[in-house]
Amino acid sequence: DAEITQSPRHKITETGRQVTLACHQTWNHNNMFWYRQDLGHGLRLIHYSYGVHDTNKGEVSDGYSVSRSNTEDLPLTLESAASSQTSVYFCASSEEPGVMNTEAFFGQGTRLTVV
Amino acid sequence: TQLLEQSPQFLSIQEGENLTVYCNSSSVFSSLQWYRQEPGEGPVLLVTVVTGGEVKKLKRLTFQFGDARKDSSLHITAAQPGDTGLYLCAGGSNYQLIWGAGTKLIIKP
């Protein structure tokens, strides 16, 4: 079965360190998204990609970067982790090329704590 | 800035009761999605509504899109413990998807 997997599931890191969260999907979807989920804020879009070598900033992109070198993977990098980036991070993918509002398939999330 | 407000934020009821969750905005959306999220998991799509006034049913869950496509509701009849979870609405166009903060629902046996 096709799926979307995130790793690690849990991560504790120190302030100032670079951290990379992995996201791998086997749906062969063009669209991939990174969200963070915080209490009271719902899901907030960090970065998204509509295809290989395409990346776009979302609502809360400061301090984060992504790269898309193939269809399956969209790693999220925190350049210099800050305590404000403690959150649960979700990766998602969707099928219909170049549009935002079709069904999204989510990974199980990565809980990141910055100490 | 577009906002999508969900209410209530938290609801705890007994098994067998009915409930309604609301998702409201001042903006018009081309579609409205409802997702359910269980602890430790990502959200899973329940339904998408696209036409003003549209009603969709999923077993005991009834979803309605407002006539003006600015609001939506989710009604659960005879709630079961298995309905427990975080319910998220998301209003969208081709170019953006606005998420509500969610309604945390607990159904007590």
Side-chain angles (χ1 to χ4, degrees):
Chain A
D1 286 345
E3 59 181 1
I4 180 165
T5 55
Q6 294 182 231
S7 62
R9 292 294 311 276
H10 301 272
K11 173 79 176 178
I12 300 174
T13 192
E14 294 179 343
T15 301
R17 289 197 181 265
Q18 184 181 79
V19 177
T20 296
L21 309 183
C23 176
H24 179 81
Q25 54 103 357
T26 58
W27 291 98
N28 200 35
H29 286 163
N30 286 308
N31 305 339
M32 294 185 73
F33 309 89
W34 273 105
Y35 290 94
R36 59 179 290 175
Q37 186 174 38
D38 304 286
L39 201 62
H41 286 278
L43 290 166
R44 291 184 290 176
L45 184 63
I46 305 170
H47 282 284
Y48 61 101
S49 168
Y50 284 150
V52 176
H53 303 309
D54 176 73
T55 60
N56 306 280
K57 293 182 178 181
E59 176 189 359
V60 290
S61 61
D62 287 349
Y64 304 93
S65 63
V66 294
S67 62
R68 186 92 181 268
S69 58
N70 58 52
T71 300
E72 295 80 17
D73 299 289
L74 187 70
L76 177 71
T77 297
L78 286 69
E79 305 294 343
S80 177
S83 58
S84 60
Q85 294 176 309
T86 292
S87 186
V88 180
Y89 291 85
F90 286 98
C91 180
S93 70
S94 66
E95 182 176 13
E96 193 170 341
V99 298
M100 187 74 70
N101 62 342
T102 56
E103 179 179 5
F105 295 83
F106 284 82
Q108 291 181 302
T110 295
R111 182 175 294 275
L112 177 68
T113 303
V114 182
V115 298
Chain B
T1 304
Q2 292 184 297
L3 290 174
L4 203 50
E5 295 186 356
Q6 282 190 245
S7 61
Q9 288 184 302
F10 179 79
L11 187 58
S12 178
I13 62 172
Q14 292 294 137
E15 180 178 1
E17 294 184 14
N18 301 333
L19 66 108
T20 302
V21 174
Y22 299 93
C23 182
N24 294 304
S25 177
S26 58
S27 302
V28 176
F29 295 108
S30 62
S31 67
L32 200 296
Q33 301 174 349
W34 283 93
Y35 287 79
R36 179 165 158 255
Q37 183 179 15
E38 298 192 18
E41 302 290 332
V44 175
L45 182 70
L46 295 173
V47 78
T48 301
V49 285
V50 296
T51 306
E54 182 176 3
V55 176
K56 281 193 174 179
K57 292 192 175 184
L58 195 65
K59 296 184 181 178
R60 293 174 293 98
L61 279 60
T62 301
F63 304 85
Q64 183 163 10
F65 203 10
D67 290 342
R69 290 184 288 129
K70 294 181 179 181
D71 54 83
S72 182
S73 63
L74 158 60
H75 182 78
I76 302 179
T77 303
Q80 303 293 312
D83 296 326
T84 291
L86 179 68
Y87 289 81
L88 296 160
C89 63
S93 66
N94 282 352
Y95 307 107
Q96 60 181 339
L97 195 62
I98 308 297
W99 290 84
T103 293
K104 186 171 183 180
L105 177 63
I106 295 176
I107 310 300
K108 295 177 284 187

